Amino acid sequence: MDGDGPAAHRSTGASGEPSSRARQAFYVFPTRSRWLSWLLLLLLAVLSACSGFSSASGQPSAAATTVVPTLLSRPGSLPALIQMGTFHEYALTRRAEGDMLMRPAIDQQGRVWFGVMASNRIAMFDPQRASWQTVTPPRGRGGLMGLIVAPDGSLWFAEQYANYIGHYLPRLGRFQIYPLPTVSAPDPAHKGKQLTLPVAPNELLIDRQGLIWFTEMNADALGRLNPATGELRQYPLSAHHTAQQLNPYGLALDAQGNLWFTESSQNRIGYLDPRTGKLTTFSTPDPGAMPMEIAVDRQGQVWITTFAHNLLLRFNPASHQFTRYAAPTPDGSSGGLYGLALDESGGVWVTVAAANALAHLLPEQQRFLYYPVPTANSFPFGIAVAHRQQVWFTEAGANQLGLLTLT
């Protein structure tokens, strides 16, 4: 894999090439995943006009920037103490407007990987060499979302519109693809007819047996891939096998091996017990909040970001109770929380797009610590914690990768 060169050598499995009907459906009927992408772009436009924090005028650079502590408080929200921190920002090479940098993942060498959704590339930044490399997966269609690093250093990723799960071996520069089934949905332009759509894989994880799990936003299901055999299995999240009704999005694993997920369209979270196939769901306390990312901490508490109401939620599986943590913004605007990561000490980190900031929740103190991003209107999106002193994040509005080093 080299910085700006052609795609790496590829080895592929089954063809996975969609039929002409599927290709036509892809272009004429927006999937839920495509709709979420449009929502992100709309939020980018809105927030560029109203985001409040900026400690620099915002030309992208790798120079360190610090901010001065102040207090932000809004009625109905927890107070936020604006903290000092050192930021470095690294502009993506070969960037284009609207590239949409997705969720980052950190490998065993400390390198940061993420998908570039619009141009369908996988990007890697090496902090030790301060260098970029990019590679283009085969048969992509501009829908590369979730990406995770396996224990062996290889990458697994989700191609939403091309409808496959991909496996990339950086050491060899090789790809393996696993085509996914399609789903049927009513054609809004032709009553009584059906369209064939991708299942739209989004978030991924690897369980303790090495199986790859992923959410299927169009199919209202969870998918499971066995890399050893290539076997695919689907777990519908509704009794009647609906399509495009639930929008399952985030995915997390708890200590008991249960798969936790969010249903963005129904404002629910739930879990699947893969041993029995049993599903359990819970409605979130705020209708229309759009739960997004989900994570489970060491105490078994479930954390959820919401895209519409600036809310971070905590769910206690033992008591079935939600706790709400409302994140303030400088002008009271609502742009939602997206990125979610837990640090080594159990601390909760989120991205607050409307405040142009990273936030660290201190639940025992009932407040947030805010770290404003230096580049104005950067739209901090995905987030990953390398260790207690370093937090990496993508800037979807500025096509940059950011690093916060705590002081």
Side-chain angles (χ1 to χ4, degrees):
M1 182 172 73
D2 50 33
D4 294 312
H9 173 72
R10 304 155 184 165
S11 69
T12 61
S15 70
E17 186 64 25
S19 66
S20 59
R21 186 183 180 195
R23 285 197 295 269
Q24 181 183 23
F26 171 79
Y27 287 113
V28 301
F29 187 57
T31 65
R32 292 275 185 179
S33 50
R34 173 77 73 176
W35 175 78
L36 277 176
S37 302
W38 288 340
L39 177 60
L40 170 60
L41 291 174
L42 176 62
L43 283 173
L44 279 169
V46 172
L47 291 172
S48 67
C50 65
S51 61
F53 291 130
S54 178
S55 47
S57 62
Q59 284 304 315
S61 75
T65 307
T66 59
V67 296
V68 180
T70 56
L71 183 66
L72 173 67
S73 182
R74 287 279 174 183
S77 300
L78 295 186
L81 183 64
I82 314 305
Q83 290 289 96
M84 293 186 68
T86 300
F87 283 86
H88 288 80
E89 295 173 289
Y90 305 93
L92 178 65
T93 57
R94 292 178 55 202
R95 58 186 184 158
E97 186 177 355
D99 260 343
M100 295 173 61
L101 278 57
M102 295 290 105
R103 302 180 287 269
I106 304 168
D107 70 13
Q108 294 83 350
Q109 302 175 50
R111 300 177 301 183
V112 185
W113 299 81
F114 56 89
V116 184
M117 188 174 186
S119 56
N120 212 88
R121 290 176 291 155
I122 294 174
M124 185 273 285
F125 181 73
D126 186 338
Q128 294 185 344
R129 295 180 173 85
S131 63
W132 287 98
Q133 293 180 341
T134 60
V135 64
T136 302
R139 304 174 188 170
R141 289 187 171 184
L144 201 157
M145 284 286 289
L147 180 150
I148 54 175
V149 178
D152 64 1
S154 63
L155 306 179
W156 290 89
F157 59 95
E159 282 275 4
Q160 281 189 0
Y161 311 144
N163 206 37
Y164 70 77
I165 299 300
H167 189 205
Y168 177 60
L169 287 73
R171 216 169 30 87
L172 301 176
R174 296 178 62 185
F175 285 94
Q176 177 75 32
I177 68 172
Y178 298 85
L180 299 177
T182 56
V183 61
S184 294
D187 185 346
H190 300 90
K191 187 176 180 180
K193 293 188 177 181
Q194 297 284 306
L195 290 174
T196 301
L197 302 170
V199 298
N202 180 53
E203 186 74 282
L204 310 92
L205 62 77
I206 304 176
D207 71 11
R208 296 175 183 86
Q209 287 73 47
L211 302 174
I212 310 299
W213 292 85
F214 48 95
T215 49
E216 297 180 351
M217 295 202 294
N218 279 345
D220 292 344
L222 300 185
R224 190 191 73 182
L225 167 67
N226 185 336
T229 64
E231 178 195 13
L232 284 164
R233 182 174 177 182
Q234 288 180 297
Y235 294 80
L237 299 182
S238 61
H240 303 291
H241 291 243
T242 61
Q244 296 193 318
Q245 299 299 310
L246 308 179
N247 198 18
Y249 197 88
L251 192 61
L253 186 71
D254 70 15
Q256 290 73 44
N258 296 312
L259 279 298
W260 287 85
F261 55 88
T262 58
E263 294 180 359
S264 296
S265 295
Q266 298 297 318
N267 295 294
R268 290 193 303 232
I269 67 168
Y271 68 88
L272 167 72
D273 182 342
R275 297 169 292 268
T276 64
K278 180 182 177 181
L279 282 166
T280 307
T281 60
F282 309 91
S283 295
T284 61
D286 295 86
M290 293 182 65
M292 289 277 111
E293 293 291 278
I294 189 168
V296 182
D297 67 20
R298 293 178 181 177
Q299 287 71 47
Q301 300 293 293
V302 183
W303 296 89
I304 309 105
T305 54
T306 66
F307 211 31
H309 292 169
N310 289 349
L311 282 176
L312 173 63
L313 300 175
R314 181 179 65 181
F315 179 72
N316 186 330
S319 66
H320 295 179
Q321 296 296 310
F322 285 91
T323 303
R324 302 164 75 256
Y325 301 95
T329 58
D331 59 0
S333 61
S334 177
L337 310 182
Y338 182 84
L340 172 65
L342 306 178
D343 64 25
E344 296 169 349
S345 63
V348 183
W349 288 86
V350 297
T351 55
V352 188
N356 200 47
L358 312 184
H360 185 200
L361 174 68
L362 301 177
E364 69 284 354
Q365 299 181 23
Q366 286 294 294
R367 68 177 179 180
F368 287 96
L369 302 181
Y370 271 27
Y371 297 85
V373 179
T375 296
N377 309 319
S378 70
F379 199 93
F381 193 63
I383 191 168
V385 180
H387 49 74
R388 293 185 67 178
Q389 299 300 316
Q390 288 191 333
V391 181
W392 290 93
F393 60 99
T394 52
E395 301 179 21
N399 290 340
Q400 296 183 144
L401 178 67
L403 170 64
L404 166 65
T405 302
L406 303 181
T407 54

